[in-house]
Amino acid sequence: MTPLSMILVSKTRGTGARATPALQGVDLDVSPGEVLLLTGPSGSGKTTLLGVAAGLLSVDSGRVLAAGADLATLSAAALRSHRARTIGFVFQHANLLEGLTARENVAMAAVLAGLKDVDQAVDATLDAVGMLALADRRPSELSGGQEQRVAVARALVHRPLLVLADEPTASLDSASGAAVAHALTELASRRGAAVVVATHDPRMTRVATRQVHLVDGRLSP
């Protein structure tokens, strides 16, 4: 199964005189175990592409096959269920829930995905990203890099087929960024997931298996 296949995908943002092509005829296939870097200037469509791949945004034309499903054929409820079970998302900022501990933030994703052995899966994933010792701390008690590693664990705890990351290291210092990049790509690789990372960060090139460039909504190798 190809974790992500985009076939002649086009997407316009805005309406009327403010309508802007965000994606234009994008063709993209991402294989299991692949770490694909999506680069390009601000406003080139990188975040839009990730949103379309996750089913968070609909397309104007073309097809998006993500984790074995044609997203356009799913009802809203089925799409939410499919995304929770098969796709992981890492944002630029960790977006952890402050009222919950690191363990509880990760456990929420596991529960939504329908995992049975939630406690075991959560602890194993936190351990894999080096955060098990801090699992009972809340986000305000963690550094930015530690928060992002928890966010990586949250995205990967349910063993998704596809992981999408939007500038996951942009706000981190060199050491923290390198740790997050390694945790994301190493754990995803071990679990057979495909990873697509939208980034300006040259540190990510060290862990990528392929890179494509997006300009004005069009892809080039």
Side-chain angles (χ1 to χ4, degrees):
M1 178 193 303
T2 300
L4 178 63
S5 183
M6 305 180 77
I7 305 163
L8 293 175
V9 168
S10 293
K11 172 69 177 177
T12 300
R13 303 304 298 264
T15 58
R18 296 186 177 182
T20 303
L23 299 175
Q24 303 187 67
V26 169
D27 275 314
L28 180 65
D29 289 304
V30 188
S31 303
E34 185 173 14
V35 178
L36 175 71
L37 289 198
L38 181 64
T39 62
S42 296
S44 61
K46 299 189 301 296
T47 297
T48 299
L49 189 150
L50 294 183
V52 164
L56 297 171
L57 297 173
S58 60
V59 301
D60 298 333
S61 60
R63 296 177 68 201
V64 180
L65 309 177
D70 185 336
L71 300 187
T73 68
L74 301 179
S75 67
L79 178 57
R80 286 193 298 271
S81 176
H82 179 71
R83 187 164 50 233
R85 289 183 291 103
T86 65
I87 298 175
F89 212 109
V90 183
F91 301 90
Q92 178 174 346
H93 302 289
N95 289 343
L96 302 178
L97 296 176
E98 180 55 45
L100 303 181
T101 64
R103 177 181 279 111
E104 290 166 343
N105 268 279
V106 178
M108 180 176 290
V111 170
L112 289 173
L115 293 190
K116 294 181 179 179
D117 298 323
V118 170
D119 291 343
Q120 180 179 351
V122 169
D123 282 1
T125 309
L126 283 169
D127 190 33
V129 299
M131 288 299 296
L132 184 57
L134 302 177
D136 293 322
R137 293 192 183 183
R138 285 178 165 75
S140 60
E141 300 172 306
L142 301 173
S143 69
Q146 290 168 342
E147 283 191 85
Q148 274 297 61
R149 280 191 277 168
V150 174
V152 168
R154 179 181 59 188
L156 289 166
V157 66
H158 56 298
R159 296 182 178 269
L161 297 174
L162 175 64
V163 179
L164 306 168
D166 194 4
E167 299 284 1
T169 61
S171 60
L172 303 178
D173 60 34
S174 295
S176 296
V180 168
H182 178 77
L184 172 61
T185 56
E186 175 69 15
L187 184 54
S189 176
R190 271 193 272 149
R191 296 187 172 189
V195 183
V196 181
V197 183
T199 186
H200 291 98
D201 189 347
R203 293 172 296 193
M204 291 299 301
T205 60
R206 301 171 192 166
V207 296
T209 57
R210 181 163 62 108
Q211 181 173 329
V212 295
H213 197 63
L214 190 65
V215 178
D216 296 330
R218 297 184 185 276
L219 280 181
S220 61

